[in-house]
Amino acid sequence: MAPTTEALTAERILEATEEALRRHGPAKATVVDVARALGVSHGSVYRHFRTKAALREAVTKRWLDRTSQILAEIARPSSSPPPEALEHWLATLFTAKRHKAGDDPELFATYSVLLDEASAVVDEHVAELVDQLSDIIHRGVMEGDFMTVDGDSVATARAVFHATNRFHDPAYAHEWEQPGIEAEFTTVVTLVLRGLRRRID
Amino acid sequence: MAPTTEALTAERILEATEEALRRHGPAKATVVDVARALGVSHGSVYRHFRTKAALREAVTKRWLDRTSQILAEIARPSSSPPPEALEHWLATLFTAKRHKAGDDPELFATYSVLLDEASAVVDEHVAELVDQLSDIIHRGVMEGDFMTVDGDSVATARAVFHATNRFHDPAYAHEWEQPGIEAEFTTVVTLVLRGLRRRID
DNA sequence: CAGATGACAGATTTCAATATCTGTCATCTG
DNA sequence: CAGATGACAGATATTGAAATCTGTCATCTG
């Protein structure tokens, strides 16, 4: 439909796929649509991605990576004392997700479907985030602010992640518009941070 | 099909509905099925329940109430010191849910569908559970074991409930069979309990 | 000859006709 | 006449035939 002289790269295919998903939704966006948008045959798309599922996974990964990259910045050492960093990290995650869900609900619904299809990609993403949390917590222990559960900062990081599920798991997106949600987030974070804080007694 | 001389009570209809749901699943269990099983016309069922939705809600409520009643027993004063009571309450909730999900996955899937349909019933159930938690926490504050967030034991109870979502929300049921889940539960509960404990410092 | 094509088989989806269900109500019955 | 019935209209679900899509591969082209 829009033939270009440009080489057919994986990147261009991903862009077109994202656009097709945005336009047609997850149920109706086909590989043929993507090929048509690029002005090539669908066979050519299969040269770059083995299956439709692999193509969608790649799109999903890109989307998730955008968030993890922002968070990686906050998890980096040097930024601020671990307790503040942790709070900031959680607040940023919540805000990012909430905006993704609220700003373009249709697109978010589309990605929610993709997320359900691509559990391996999601697992990797979660592992990445838990790693970041674990870094912050470990630093907090080193600096005397935090204590872990059972001396295991990864297990503790996972617990922090799980305890805040309601504020980042897309399954709860429909609750993110409710009025009291900010306060509820703050309460959970306060509780978790208290649980992490080293006790003097 | 099995005509009885017994009067047609709401109770008998609920029983038959549960059975129909068990046999046919949520998608195929019809009011006509229920009536047939009771040997009456479907018009008679509508004398006791205004709509099919109301009938299903009543069944759902019964199912949820079975759990809240068990937990109410644990939340009762006198039983044990609040920290232990809280831990016991959370563990019992997790175990109960896990068994419901694991022992009869098909029936659990059926009820998961009903739960999605009946958000008002679920909200009430959650409110009840949060009340129970709030009682335990309030008692813990009175006895000097706990401190709340912002002096609000209901908000704190809600936070405890949300922080442990992963271990009682049916949306996570598929994760309840995974090997490390027990340890993950314990870690989150430990973290939350630490967060509640009054600090001497 | 690297990369693109499009015909093809089997899988999946769409669509419209058909069947079943929900909820009402005038009528019946003990 | 309290309570049950079943015919009925509109809504929803099922079904099977036709259309479309996925993934492959022999063939083409610059």
Side-chain angles (χ1 to χ4, degrees), chain A residues 64-178:
Chain A
L64 292 176
D65 283 352
R66 276 175 222 153
T67 300
S68 14
Q69 273 165 32
I70 292 169
L71 292 170
E73 196 57 32
I74 298 168
R76 253 192 31 240
S78 87
S79 78
S80 53
E84 276 98 283
L86 181 52
E87 206 170 335
H88 184 205
W89 190 94
L90 290 170
T92 304
L93 176 55
F94 180 35
T95 305
K97 292 280 179 132
R98 201 152 53 129
H99 273 99
K100 275 187 177 177
D103 295 350
D104 189 342
E106 266 191 78
L107 187 61
F108 187 75
T110 292
Y111 274 108
S112 294
V113 171
L114 297 196
L115 257 28
D116 284 343
E117 290 172 358
S119 61
V121 172
V122 172
D123 287 352
E124 260 180 68
H125 177 67
V126 169
E128 224 174 295
L129 295 189
V130 168
D131 272 355
Q132 293 182 14
L133 271 178
S134 168
D135 285 349
I136 299 175
I137 289 169
H138 187 253
R139 209 172 325 123
V141 172
M142 293 293 99
E143 297 183 17
D145 294 317
F146 286 156
M147 64 190 293
T148 56
V149 178
D150 298 333
D152 185 339
S153 59
V154 174
T156 306
R158 205 174 289 128
V160 170
F161 194 74
H162 289 152
T164 51
N165 262 354
R166 187 167 122 96
F167 306 102
H168 58 249
D169 190 324
Y172 292 102
H174 64 107
E175 297 180 5
W176 296 342
E177 307 277 6
Q178 283 171 19

Side-chain angles (χ1 to χ4, degrees), chain A residues 9-92:
Chain A
T9 62
E11 182 59 25
R12 285 188 60 221
I13 294 174
L14 289 178
E15 225 111 77
T17 306
E18 223 169 27
E19 178 59 16
L21 284 164
R22 195 186 301 271
R23 289 179 98 85
H24 306 303
K28 290 191 192 163
T30 71
V31 176
V32 172
D33 288 332
V34 173
R36 199 176 7 243
L38 290 165
V40 300
S41 76
H42 75 280
S44 299
V45 172
Y46 279 96
R47 174 166 300 282
H48 292 85
F49 296 91
R50 255 201 307 289
T51 64
K52 183 188 186 184
L55 175 56
R56 286 179 167 218
E57 273 166 30
V59 170
T60 307
K61 184 162 167 31
R62 253 164 58 120
W63 189 68
L64 292 176
D65 283 352
R66 276 175 222 153
T67 300
S68 14
Q69 273 165 32
I70 292 169
L71 292 170
E73 196 57 32
I74 298 168
R76 253 192 31 240
S78 87
S79 78
S80 53
E84 276 98 283
L86 181 52
E87 206 170 335
H88 184 205
W89 190 94
L90 290 170
T92 304

Side-chain angles (χ1 to χ4, degrees), chain B residues 130-131 133-135 137 152-162:
Chain B
V130 169
D131 272 354
L133 271 178
S134 168
D135 284 350
I137 289 169
D152 184 339
S153 59
V154 174
T156 305
R158 205 174 290 128
V160 170
F161 193 75
H162 290 154

Side-chain angles (χ1 to χ4, degrees), chain B residues 133-144:
Chain B
L133 271 178
S134 168
D135 284 350
I136 299 175
I137 289 169
H138 187 253
R139 209 173 325 123
V141 172
M142 294 292 98
E143 297 183 16

